[in-house]
């Protein structure tokens, strides 16, 4: 990850080419962890990255890390980073066959466009808010995680801590290859 201390205590970071879940309560540093993972990949290891957020605007992401002196605009201008902010509106009615295919097409296009090797998805909870069906979400998450593995993308996915489970819905932790709990 390039995150000082974390890589040392884990013996090397997160598994390469696989999805890792970073979960914890609000304010634990999940989003910052995910962004550091991507930026460090670019600046320290020469691996282009995608930061996909469902929670913030691009401007908010840039502002939030301003004090860390990350030049997100410069990294994007150089074609090494893509910050993509996706707004998901809650579905009032779900009818017929529906999937979240656009959420794989969009990152796939970004990965292809900049040659990303690292991806951060912040916050997977937005999928549960936007769509009513846990079965649909589980199926779509499986598809996303399969895409990650097929493309050999080292990925950090953030999720909110649940009551008695690592995540609110308890699905993501079973689909991930690695789980990190921040507190």
């Amino acid at each position: 990850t390039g995150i000082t201390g974390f890589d040392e205590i884990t013996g090397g970071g997160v598994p390469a080419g696989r999805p890792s879940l970073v979960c914890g309560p609000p304010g634990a540093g999940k989003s910052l962890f995910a962004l550091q993972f991507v930026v460090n990949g670019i600046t320290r290891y020469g691996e282009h990255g995608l930061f996909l957020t469902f929670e913030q605007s691009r401007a908010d992401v840039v502002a939030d890390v301003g004090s860390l002196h990350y030049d997100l605009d410069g990294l994007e201008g150089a074609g090494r980073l893509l910050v993509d902010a996706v707004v998901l509106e809650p579905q009032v009615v779900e009818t017929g066959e529906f999937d979240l295919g656009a959420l794989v097409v969009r990152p796939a296009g970004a990965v292809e466009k900049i040659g990303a090797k690292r991806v951060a998805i912040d916050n997977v909870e937005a999928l549960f808010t936007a769509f009513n069906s846990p079965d649909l979400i589980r199926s779509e998450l499986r598809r996303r995680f399969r895409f990650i593995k097929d493309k050999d993308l080292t990925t950090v996915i953030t999720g909110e801590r649940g009551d008695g489970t690592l995540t609110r819905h308890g699905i993501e932790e079973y689909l991930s290859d690695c789980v990190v709990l921040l507190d």
Side-chain angles (χ1 to χ4, degrees), residues 97-108:
E97 289 293 316
F98 181 81
D99 68 29
L100 305 175
L103 294 180
V104 97
V105 171
R106 191 170 177 145

Side-chain angles (χ1 to χ4, degrees), residues 5 10 15 23 39 43 66-67 74 99 124 146-147 149 157:
T10 58
C23 55
V39 171
T43 59
S67 64
D99 68 29
V124 74
R146 199 172 316 117
F147 169 80
K149 290 178 182 180
I157 300 149

Side-chain angles (χ1 to χ4, degrees), residues 149-161:
K149 290 178 182 180
D150 289 348
K151 294 294 184 182
D152 197 32
L153 300 171
T154 306
T155 305
V156 166
I157 300 149
T158 66
E160 296 283 327
R161 181 76 192 252

Side-chain angles (χ1 to χ4, degrees), residues 124-138:
V124 74
E125 297 299 323
L127 296 176
F128 292 96
T129 303
F131 302 98
N132 299 342
S133 170
D135 290 336
L136 168 70
I137 294 166
R138 178 183 286 263

